[in-house]
Amino acid sequence: MLTVQATLPTKNLPIRRVLAKLFQSFIYHSLDNKEHTGYKHPNGKVFKAMNFRIVYKDNDILIKFVAIDKENEKTIATKILLEGLKLGEIHISQTELSLQNRHQEKRQKITVGGFVSTAIKDGTSSKKIYLEPKSHKFQEILYNNTLQKYEALLGKPYSDELKITMIEQKPRERRFHYSKGFIKAWYALYEIEASTDMLNMILDSGMGANCMKGLGFVELIRQKNIESKEKGK
């Protein structure tokens, strides 16, 4: 995982609504075209082998970027070190970078937290209806999406156990802006039981839809943190 901390020359530039698209563009221009094109599942769905999250406060930007191909993380880190972080017309030279390995050789269960997005189309207007993690339809879509992503990105069928359990959901949604629209998502904790390959894929490519639009990024949550939270209820 590549972590980028960048400082803007002034506070609260009016770029919050376009940050995700600007960083997405920076990534695609920096890597091979195949990462932009994506990887197609036999059913026609296209998945990306990368994921990112952006937090913007005052004049500080925090970006976390992951990729299944770890050379892509190194390529982005090198480009930022040599040329700075370019977000459209904004060129940020003051950055701090770090690379972290979130993989483990063997594990069957992880607990993660993040803003994961799934949606269905309204039958009358074709507008997207964003689903809450606690809903049965959300969990069904997320499960199928995760299996299909594995098959598309790793190029083989998944035959081991996959169990995704939503532990807790925040009551209020958050709007994530992309281009001229927005995507709604709820923060939730998930316990995932699967093969090591599947768990690493989730950490390296995210969960749900819109993973290259600033959603789907999940952080590992330690069990001690969950237990302490439950005691404080």
Side-chain angles (χ1 to χ4, degrees), residues 47-90:
F47 296 91
K48 304 298 175 70
M50 305 173 292
N51 186 212
F52 69 88
R53 174 177 181 249
I54 295 183
V55 178
Y56 177 34
K57 184 178 181 180
D58 295 331
N59 60 336
D60 294 322
I61 296 176
L62 173 66
I63 302 172
K64 294 187 177 183
F65 171 72
V66 287
I68 286 181
D69 185 348
K70 292 304 163 188
E71 289 303 314
N72 286 338
E73 294 181 10
K74 294 176 183 177
T75 297
I76 296 301
T78 301
K79 188 172 183 66
I80 294 174
L81 282 172
L82 295 178
E83 303 177 15
L85 176 61
K86 296 179 181 179
L87 299 174
E89 298 299 319
I90 301 171

Side-chain angles (χ1 to χ4, degrees), residues 181 191 222 232:
E191 183 180 84
R222 292 184 179 182

